[in-house]
Amino acid sequence: MILSFAILCIQAAGSSEPNAGEMETISAHDILKDIRSGNLEPIDGAIINGSLDLRNLKDPIRGDIKITNSIINGPVNFAGKTFEGQVDFSGTTFNDEVTLFDTQKNDNKPLYTIFEKKVHLVDTHFIKDADFKYVQFDGGNSFDRISFDGKALFNYAKFSNGADFDDAQFKDIAFYTGVIFSNASTILHNSCFEKHALFTLCGFWIARCHQ
């Protein structure tokens, strides 16, 4: 496994935010019903209002989830869920907090999130903190040009097929403590870390810097 790492602060060319004036509006409640039934049709160019909280849905989550080039105006919580299908939020802006790790209130039992297939977060924009702690990415991923305005928390996450963060933008602190990168290259070419990036106790073999 190779970690290919460059810290270069540049603007991502060609990226753009979704234009809200040209979008249909969809209730998060309706999306949750479709996810529960495993029949969520691909959504592209929509405004989604409400909390997209999957914690009360039966596990595992079956079927693909594809919500692209959209705006989500509400908190998102996938903690404790296993996703059997592909997950694609490419080009989507999350205007509230995104949580993929939590603990049960009654006994503090950890709730881990597992993605069995590929996760696409190309050109995805997180306005507030995004919590990916302990997330298990089993099927590969693509995070090209992903951007975080708030904290990016990947502590103890596991990338079974490497990770691709080309041209990623981190405006606040990025936490990668204890992350395991295995089986493939991990790429951060032209990534911009405007504050601290913590890679302590990470499980990778070779670090290769590109200037």
Side-chain angles (χ1 to χ4, degrees):
M1 201 288 298
I2 295 175
L3 174 71
S4 184
F5 185 31
I7 302 177
L8 296 174
C9 287
I10 61 173
Q11 293 294 327
S15 62
S16 60
E17 295 297 318
N19 186 348
E22 301 173 355
M23 296 177 167
E24 65 172 323
T25 300
I26 302 175
S27 166
H29 177 72
D30 292 338
I31 292 175
L32 290 173
K33 287 194 301 183
D34 290 340
I35 293 175
R36 181 182 291 111
S37 67
N39 294 315
L40 179 67
E41 295 293 328
I43 296 171
D44 184 72
I47 298 173
I48 298 167
N49 292 324
S51 174
L52 203 56
D53 190 338
L54 275 61
R55 286 175 295 175
N56 291 326
L57 300 188
K58 184 179 179 179
D59 202 42
I61 305 298
R62 304 184 188 281
D64 296 342
I65 296 177
K66 186 174 184 179
I67 302 175
T68 55
N69 304 310
S70 298
I71 297 172
I72 300 178
N73 292 320
V76 174
N77 197 317
F78 293 167
K81 296 302 167 190
T82 296
F83 293 83
E84 293 187 338
Q86 292 197 39
V87 175
D88 188 351
F89 285 99
S90 297
T92 290
T93 296
F94 293 85
N95 280 329
D96 212 323
E97 292 184 351
V98 176
T99 303
L100 285 85
F101 173 78
D102 208 343
T103 56
Q104 292 184 353
K105 292 182 179 180
N106 56 343
D107 58 7
N108 287 326
K109 179 182 178 181
L111 300 172
Y112 304 106
T113 301
I114 299 172
F115 295 100
E116 294 185 349
K117 294 188 178 179
K118 193 164 186 178
V119 176
H120 301 267
L121 296 175
V122 176
D123 291 313
T124 302
H125 188 185
F126 295 90
I127 301 296
K128 295 188 177 181
D129 292 351
D131 188 349
F132 290 84
K133 292 195 299 288
Y134 294 95
V135 173
Q136 188 169 324
F137 296 94
D138 288 343
N141 57 78
S142 182
F143 297 160
D144 289 352
R145 298 179 302 281
I146 195 171
S147 61
F148 299 90
D149 288 3
K151 294 180 179 65
L153 303 140
F154 285 91
N155 296 342
Y156 302 102
K158 182 178 180 181
F159 296 85
S160 297
N161 288 282
D164 189 349
F165 285 90
D166 269 5
D167 298 302
Q169 303 283 315
F170 298 86
K171 295 184 178 180
D172 207 325
I173 301 174
F175 295 89
Y176 285 86
T177 299
V179 172
I180 297 175
F181 300 101
S182 59
N183 296 334
S185 296
T186 296
I187 302 171
L188 293 98
H189 289 168
N190 301 329
S191 295
C192 176
F193 295 88
E194 296 187 12
K195 294 187 178 180
H196 298 299
L198 306 178
F199 285 85
T200 55
L201 303 176
C202 287
F204 49 75
W205 299 348
I206 302 173
R208 190 172 64 187
C209 294
H210 292 258
Q211 299 296 336

